[in-house]
Amino acid sequence: MGSDGASDPGVRIDRWTAAVRRRIALGDAWHRLVGSVPAVLQVSATAIGAYAFSHYVLGHAVPLLALTVTISSLGFVRDARPIRVLETAVGMSVGIALAEILLLGFGQGTWQLAVALVLTLLVARFLSPAASFAIAAAVQSVLVMLLPVPDGGPFVRTLDGLIGGVFALLATALIPRDPRRSARRDGQRLIDEHVRTLASLVAALRLGDLEEADRALARARATQPALDAWRGTLDSGLAIARISPFLRKAVFDLERQRTMLDGMDLATRNLRVIARRIDYVSRDATSRPELADLLARTSVALGILSQSIGDIAQQPVARQSLLEIAKHLEPVVVLPDASVSEQALVLVLRPYLVDLLTATGLPTPEAQAALPSL
């Protein structure tokens, strides 16, 4: 009897898995599309503004480089700080100017293109350590060397490039992308990674499961990208908010998140220490429900801390929850009959709770004072 394998459970599972992956991919694509709308509008409006100024005000027939410099300077990068926009614009303008000088002296041709490319890359590397600076300069240099020379005399394209850079800089202040949503998303992503890691550690402690502890340790070690992403978003957002008249109110929220980030940075390092310690003690396959309960309560408090990124009213709630946990972190109280190695697990939790408390805005001395004396 013929069969295409549709009734095979393994085939059905594979098809179901493939369908789930497609849905996840479509969901990610949709979120990426929605999240890119502000950047798309900013880049499009600014590029058209730079083009219109060069074309209608200055009379340049085809101000192509005004467009390319504007688009490349703004882009879709996470780091949209004015200094980065300025650096990219300057890099491209340098490439344009060098190419125009060579074009005036030696004309167009293959060897002239090679000389322009090499010279632009060398000069750009001398001026800035950023690789993106050199690449931006080289791309614009190539365009100048290959495209027909426009009417209007020398350095018309250099002027177009400068106009594109100026418009890009103005856009960061006058048509800014509100950084608060991205910062909140990145911050919640980091804290949620802590929550998921703690959930794995809770399971490992309850069951004495070494494999689960290994997974938790791997997750803890993989938190650095989330931490770096939050830091980059906040640095960029604060730089924009401080110069934009439309984002002044965002400075307070972003500064509050910066305080949270400082605490979560230290807490992330201590989370790895905790995960390593639990991974080590889990080798004896012994259940430790008291420690599991302690981490489960910490995980709940972290969930409230994650909510507080978008709702400041949750911040004191998270702080109080963490304070209640911290004041009981005394090894002989939590594990009165445990071994020294088990009581050491409580000791490594103490600096973690201090860091989480500082993430709620509590000064470090007060956070440390919340712990019972040893």
Side-chain angles (χ1 to χ4, degrees):
M1 182 174 64
S3 174
D4 61 357
S7 60
D8 188 336
V11 173
R12 290 200 300 271
I13 291 173
D14 289 343
R15 290 178 177 175
W16 179 82
T17 303
V20 170
R21 287 176 177 171
R22 284 195 296 271
R23 289 180 181 178
I24 292 174
L26 286 173
D28 290 343
W30 174 252
H31 288 303
R32 187 169 60 249
L33 172 64
V34 173
S36 297
V37 169
V40 168
L41 295 177
Q42 182 201 47
V43 171
S44 300
T46 309
I48 295 303
Y51 173 87
F53 184 85
S54 291
H55 182 66
Y56 295 109
V57 177
L58 301 182
H60 298 174
V62 185
L64 173 64
L65 297 186
L67 290 167
T68 61
V69 171
T70 303
I71 294 169
S72 299
S73 296
L74 294 174
F76 288 101
V77 294
R78 180 184 298 274
D79 185 1
R81 287 176 297 173
I83 187 62
R84 190 207 62 81
V85 174
L86 176 62
E87 183 179 76
T88 304
V90 168
M92 289 185 286
S93 298
V94 166
I96 296 168
L98 284 174
E100 293 222 270
I101 291 171
L102 291 171
L103 197 61
L104 283 173
F106 304 103
Q108 289 181 312
T110 303
W111 73 266
Q112 293 94 329
L113 175 62
V115 171
L117 188 55
V118 170
L119 183 60
T120 301
L121 287 171
L122 290 175
V123 171
R125 291 302 287 166
F126 176 79
L127 293 175
S128 172
S132 58
F133 182 94
I135 297 303
V139 169
Q140 303 306 313
S141 177
V142 167
L143 286 175
V144 171
M145 294 301 294
L146 292 179
L147 293 174
V149 179
D151 297 331
F155 301 107
V156 168
R157 288 175 290 193
T158 301
L159 180 57
D160 286 338
L162 291 172
I163 289 169
V166 169
F167 268 75
L169 281 171
L170 288 174
T172 61
L174 302 179
I175 319 176
R177 307 171 196 174
D178 192 337
R180 285 171 292 188
R181 180 181 299 178
S182 297
R184 289 170 186 167
R185 183 182 63 244
D186 289 340
Q188 288 170 342
R189 176 189 167 200
L190 175 63
I191 297 178
D192 290 347
E193 281 298 315
H194 278 244
V195 171
R196 284 189 282 269
T197 300
L198 289 178
S200 291
L201 292 174
V202 167
L205 289 168
R206 289 196 192 284
L207 304 174
D209 189 339
L210 178 58
E211 290 186 1
E212 189 65 39
D214 287 340
R215 283 191 287 271
L217 179 57
R219 183 180 288 277
R221 287 172 171 168
T223 50
Q224 193 62 41
L227 182 64
D228 292 341
W230 194 14
R231 187 182 306 282
T233 304
L234 283 176
D235 287 345
S236 176
L238 280 167
I240 294 170
R242 285 170 180 155
I243 68 168
S244 173
F246 305 108
L247 292 178
R248 295 291 168 81
K249 293 181 180 180
V251 173
F252 171 79
D253 187 43
L254 295 172
E255 290 285 7
R256 183 174 67 90
Q257 288 192 49
R258 172 63 68 80
T259 299
M260 294 182 69
L261 170 64
D262 292 340
M264 290 306 301
D265 185 358
L266 297 173
T268 300
R269 301 178 197 181
N270 278 314
L271 179 64
R272 295 167 192 154
V273 175
I274 294 167
R276 281 197 299 270
R277 186 67 186 170
I278 292 176
D279 185 68
Y280 175 78
V281 301
S282 296
R283 299 177 190 277
D284 62 7
T286 300
S287 175
R288 296 175 172 86
E290 297 87 358
L291 287 171
D293 291 342
L294 195 58
L295 287 183
R297 291 173 59 197
T298 305
S299 178
V300 172
L302 271 168
I304 302 173
L305 183 62
S306 178
Q307 296 173 22
S308 75
I309 296 179
D311 181 5
I312 193 173
Q314 295 299 317
Q315 188 165 309
V317 180
R319 180 185 302 167
Q320 189 59 40
S321 299
L322 291 167
L323 284 170
E324 287 297 320
I325 299 169
K327 70 182 183 181
H328 296 295
L329 284 180
E330 189 173 358
V332 295
V333 173
V334 178
L335 300 170
D337 301 319
S339 64
V340 173
S341 62
E342 289 179 322
Q343 290 185 350
L345 286 173
V346 180
L347 291 177
V348 298
L349 282 173
R350 289 166 65 95
Y352 183 60
L353 263 293
V354 169
D355 296 335
L356 295 181
L357 283 168
T358 61
T360 68
L362 191 68
T364 301
E366 293 184 31
Q368 293 171 336
L371 296 171
S373 300
L374 295 177

